[in-house]
Amino acid sequence: MRPALRAHLQSALTLSVAALVLLVGWAGVAEFPWWAALGVEPQLWWHVIPLILMAAALLLRIRRPVLALLLGGLIVLVDLSIGVNVGILLCLSDLVYSLGIRGGRRAVSITGGVLGLITIGIGAGSFLAGVEWRAAVSLSLGGMAVLLMPLWWSWEVRRGYPLWQEADARGQLEAERHANVLRAQARKRHEAVEEERRSMARELHDVVSSQVSAIALSSGAVLNAPAESARDREALRTIRITSVEALEQLREMVQLLRGETVDPASGTALEAATWDQVIARARQHGLQVAIDGQPPDGLSPAVRHVLLRILQEALTNALKHGDGSASIGVRTRRRRLLLQVSSGLRQEEGDVVAVGSGTGLTAMRERAEMLGGTLRAGPSRGDEKTWLLRAELPLKEQNDE
């Protein structure tokens, strides 16, 4: 027999018994006052409708045992509004047993407490409603048999001491748990791969984006201006230096991705840039930079790395889309570091096209959020001609605090 069919064999047998109870007429029909108020007389075959709904709930008992039990309880209440049907109570016991076998430890504990209160409530409510105490005790015992005994049996099976013969119950349970573990591991691997892809995309963007953008802007400016030997040679020299740096950094990035060792003595390691070097490079490419404040000493390597990446991308965007100037402000507030970069937006770009992939802001925001910070960028309030980037980073990594 196929495992999928065998897993539902118990439910099929329980439903068969419940259907047999209806066929032989053992289900009852009670004269409740609400039927008289509606002017209808309940029929025995009405029990078939809750039984069909119960079959749907039993299909959920393996993957969603808690939901299946909740639905089963509601279906039993609907069936009891017609009359007593022992068959559908057996189905409810099957759902309780399934939750005890497959549910988490916390879910089983909570379910046991709730079912215990329900069992006590059945007896106490019956006694308060005027039922003879013997009948109230019988109702409590019936509730215990339907609700608590299956949960106890399932708990014994999970402990490895079954009270009745279920030779393959543990094997089936272990197979289901193994399948759940495999699914969870596959999901974690997929999430890890996606995170690694995003990290690689950020690194590749940061490594070459500013250099390539500077090359495009420098060459575009020269091509759109009258020829001038000294200026053109200086532009070509800047382009060559920038392109060599971009190629060297790209080579080191490829080596890191391939697991090769990068020589730190080469002088162009990816983490070698400093605050002053990032600003100096921007000025070398023609950006006028005003500075108000400096980052404090003692920043952790991760925070300093993200700060420099954000500054580099902000100055590159100011060079591509701005009016040629940028203002940098740095403040420390309590345990946070505030970085603000503003630049005027270029009104007419002429024939010089500012190239870009549009991923820089996304990468900066992701880097800030990874440290527990925030980043916002957009036109300044009250001045649509000014672009404002504001980053807030923790002075220390969260796991260091």
Side-chain angles (χ1 to χ4, degrees):
M1 181 179 295
R2 297 176 59 184
L5 296 178
R6 189 175 184 82
H8 294 284
L9 179 60
Q10 180 177 335
S11 297
L13 293 176
T14 307
L15 287 172
S16 299
V17 173
L20 180 62
V21 170
L22 290 180
L23 288 176
V24 299
W26 289 344
V29 176
E31 296 181 359
F32 291 109
W34 50 79
W35 298 122
L38 295 175
V40 296
E41 182 179 351
Q43 303 296 321
L44 182 63
W45 65 267
W46 286 11
H47 287 291
V48 176
I49 298 176
L51 188 60
I52 294 175
L53 297 176
M54 182 63 76
L58 287 171
L59 292 176
L60 299 174
R61 71 182 183 90
I62 294 179
R63 291 188 176 274
R64 305 291 296 275
V66 177
L67 177 61
L69 181 58
L70 291 175
L71 293 177
L74 294 176
I75 294 169
V76 168
L77 291 178
V78 172
D79 188 74
L80 290 176
S81 69
I82 302 172
V84 178
N85 179 9
V86 176
I88 205 164
L89 294 179
L90 292 177
C91 295
L92 182 63
S93 295
D94 188 11
L95 293 176
V96 173
Y97 180 80
S98 181
L99 186 144
I101 286 288
R102 298 174 173 85
R105 185 178 297 271
R106 184 168 180 267
V108 173
S109 299
I110 294 175
T111 302
V114 172
L115 295 182
L117 292 176
I118 291 175
T119 301
I120 296 173
I122 290 174
S126 301
F127 183 77
L128 294 176
V131 178
E132 186 182 0
W133 71 269
R134 292 184 180 85
V137 172
S138 298
L139 289 175
S140 294
L141 293 176
M144 183 183 300
V146 172
L147 300 177
L148 295 181
M149 289 297 291
L151 196 65
W152 178 33
W153 293 338
S154 64
W155 185 250
E156 290 296 316
V157 172
R158 291 180 70 154
R159 290 175 56 193
Y161 304 102
L163 298 182
W164 62 0
Q165 295 299 320
E166 281 198 7
D168 60 344
R170 288 179 59 83
Q172 178 67 29
L173 178 60
E174 290 299 327
E176 293 173 5
R177 287 179 176 174
H178 182 65
N180 290 334
V181 170
L182 291 179
R183 283 193 293 269
Q185 290 177 346
R187 183 173 61 253
K188 289 181 179 179
R189 285 196 299 269
H190 177 73
E191 292 174 354
V193 170
E194 290 300 317
E195 178 58 31
E196 185 65 21
R197 287 177 177 173
R198 288 191 292 268
S199 177
M200 290 171 60
R202 288 193 297 266
E203 291 296 333
L204 287 172
H205 177 274
D206 291 344
V207 164
V208 298
S209 175
S210 60
Q211 287 89 342
V212 173
S213 298
I215 292 173
L217 290 170
S218 298
S219 59
V222 171
L223 290 174
N224 286 274
E228 184 179 327
S229 177
R231 186 206 60 204
D232 294 347
R233 288 187 63 84
E234 179 62 24
L236 289 174
R237 188 183 71 82
T238 301
I239 290 174
R240 172 173 171 74
I241 294 174
T242 304
S243 60
V244 169
E245 289 180 356
L247 286 173
E248 185 64 23
Q249 290 189 359
L250 183 59
R251 180 184 64 80
E252 293 180 2
M253 186 66 192
V254 171
Q255 287 179 330
L256 289 174
L257 293 176
R258 294 175 61 182
E260 300 177 4
T261 303
V262 178
D263 183 11
S266 61
T268 58
L270 297 179
E271 304 298 333
T274 64
W275 174 270
D276 293 333
Q277 288 173 346
V278 172
I279 296 174
R281 288 177 182 175
R283 287 172 172 168
Q284 183 181 4
H285 293 301
L287 186 67
Q288 298 179 3
V289 183
I291 306 173
D292 182 11
Q294 292 283 334
D297 296 330
L299 290 177
S300 67
V303 175
R304 180 171 293 277
H305 172 73
V306 172
L307 176 66
L308 295 181
R309 291 300 199 193
I310 292 175
L311 177 64
Q312 175 180 291
E313 181 65 23
L315 294 180
T316 300
N317 288 339
L319 187 63
K320 290 192 296 185
H321 308 291
D323 58 1
S325 63
S327 298
I328 302 173
V330 182
R331 295 287 186 272
T332 55
R333 184 176 301 170
R334 295 182 181 176
R335 305 174 70 180
R336 314 289 285 183
L337 173 65
L338 303 179
L339 171 66
Q340 183 170 297
V341 181
S342 61
S343 61
L345 292 174
R346 187 179 304 169
Q347 301 303 310
E348 295 182 1
E349 296 191 7
D351 296 330
V352 180
V353 179
V355 295
S357 62
T359 61
L361 286 177
T362 301
M364 286 191 293
R365 187 173 293 110
E366 289 178 352
R367 287 184 181 278
E369 291 175 353
M370 285 174 60
L371 293 178
T374 59
L375 185 142
R376 295 188 299 272
S380 176
R381 292 182 179 179
D383 186 3
E384 296 295 329
K385 297 181 179 180
T386 300
W387 184 267
L388 180 63
L389 180 143
R390 181 182 176 88
E392 183 175 338
L393 303 175
L395 288 175
K396 294 184 178 180
E397 294 180 78
Q398 290 181 334
N399 55 7
D400 290 342
E401 295 180 354

